Amino acid sequence: MSATAAPIIVFDKVNKWYGDNFHVLRDIDLQVQQGERIVICGPSGSGKSTLIRCVNRLEEHQQGRLVVDGTELADDVKAIERVRKQVGMVFQQFNLFPHLTVLENLTLSPTWVGKMPKKDAEEKAMQQLKRVRIAEQANKYPLQLSGGQQQRVAIARALCLTPKIMLFDEPTSALDPEMIKEVLDVMVELANQGITMLCVTHEMGFAKAVANRVIFMDQGQIVEENNPHDFFDHPKSERTKDFLSKILGH
Amino acid sequence: MAAVFTPIAPRPAPIKTTGAAAWAKKNLFGNPLSTVATVVMIALALWLLPPLFQWAVVNAVVRPDADTCQAARGVGACWGVIVEKWRFIIFGRYPFDSQWRPELAVILLTGLLVVSCIRTFWKPWLAIVWIAVVPVFFWLMGGGFGLAHVPTDNWGGLPLTIMLATFGILFAFPLSILVALGRRSNMPAIRTLCVLYVELIRGVPLISVLFMASFLFPLFMPVGKSPDVLLRVLVGITLFAAAYLAEIVRGGLQAIPRGQVEAAATLGLSYWQTQRKIVLPQALALVVPGIMNSFIAIFKDTSLVTIVSLYELTGALGLALNSDANWRPFKIEGYIFIVLVYFVFCFAMSRYSLWVEKKLGASKNR
């Protein structure tokens, strides 16, 4: 992939407020190339989740331009629909649909939004479940699975859209320590398959292993961005050093 | 020194836990309070049941003979009044010789209701059957196309009760869902409209809604152009029930985490797809007891239409006995009879609700 290709996500001076006074995103400038894997970290309340939630318009920005896969996100509903077809998302709390089986969770969007025949959708779903190594649980309900399994189902569900971009919003923060690895393993595999990833996480091992770029945010601003090697070994700003010493300190 | 494992042979438990005596000891005399409660209940039963049995069975008169009933008054029940008047109680003022029509109509509608409650039959053809049965119901009741015309004033008794309850529920439930969704809408106009509707309707008694539907509404219509009283009353019941149901549904909607809607949005589902496939199935499952509560209340509230001269089951009972001096004293027996009829329907609804709850709980069972 050439570096001159048009970036798949462009934030151009994006600003967002919650209410009148909470300025959550401040002059965000960010370009993401196709196939890039970006890890976003920062203290809580720094705007990192809001940043990635703007990409599929779960949050709307109020100033600046945000272009995803050639489509500018504004109030145009059709544009939002188009972007959401290209963007898969994985949440901290999994957000699986508890009244549907694992398989139904996966086939819901392909059959209802993609108008795919049920049989094809199920076939595709099973492929994705195999990909996250959980095919044998297809007919169970989400609450019958462990947290790690549920998160892998959530990843498979997002993959059923065949998205160009995957957003991960603290995917391992709600998991028991021993389940974090099984989810990270799946994410590493995905990363190696060349999908564009934006990942909010504090798993620095994961960042070192797969990220092209690490972004550090604080108070709604991008404080520092760099390749993982330089980010962890030679952080430029004092704020970053302080943060890293806290999360890597023990 | 190696430890040696010596298995212990199984022995029976020291206290017997099965059998009637063990059950009674555990459930009836388990602790002092339970023992007292049991003794009090047995005493009450011994005190109340024998005289009731005397009145209702031993001294009862089953023959439809007013003189014998008169003689037994005070010591024995007069079930003869039901034998004599059951047609009037069940079918109201409907012409006697056409009685097979409401009979058939009520069997059709009730049968269809029962079938519709069973999930196996939730297929497209069920909707077609409904579309076919409803006109047949009104044709049988009202006449036309070869059957003698019976004006709605003369419809009465159980068919009327079932009809008002069925169509009241059938129209009120979808309306309540729309109103509940509307109250949570982002659009202020829709939200305000729904809030106004709910608050206005909840602020007045059902009787006044029925009065308005029956007497006030025609005043605003051109003479002779007013829709049938039955239709007006049905609209009144529907609007009234929907306001209450809407608040129950809204309670369920509030319990659904925002993450569910966000996940649906990221999967590309539209607003209506999200509500239909994700939010409502979960929200309604949570409020099944409340919904069924309302359904049962609607079923019994239909008795209020008596005040606008529609004689459903309760009204027909009054009509049947008040119009006949010989039988007028035996209202208690008549009321016991319709209590049983109401109970059969309401109990069936309540058991069905429990069954639905159990079914829907399946996904939550680990």
Side-chain angles (χ1 to χ4, degrees), chain A residues 53 84 96-97 99 109 112, chain B residues 259-260 262 265 267 273 277:
Chain A
R53 286 161 62 90
R84 281 182 177 164
L96 293 174
F97 306 129
H99 61 301
S109 177
W112 282 80
Chain B
Q260 293 285 306
E262 287 181 351
L267 291 174
Q273 283 173 330
K277 302 301 286 183

Side-chain angles (χ1 to χ4, degrees), chain B residues 303-327:
Chain B
S303 55
L304 289 174
V305 301
T306 306
I307 60 132
V308 294
S309 307
L310 286 172
Y311 296 98
E312 48 59 70
L313 193 54
T314 310
L317 173 73
L319 208 59
L321 298 194
N322 290 339
S323 60
D324 191 336
N326 286 336
W327 296 104

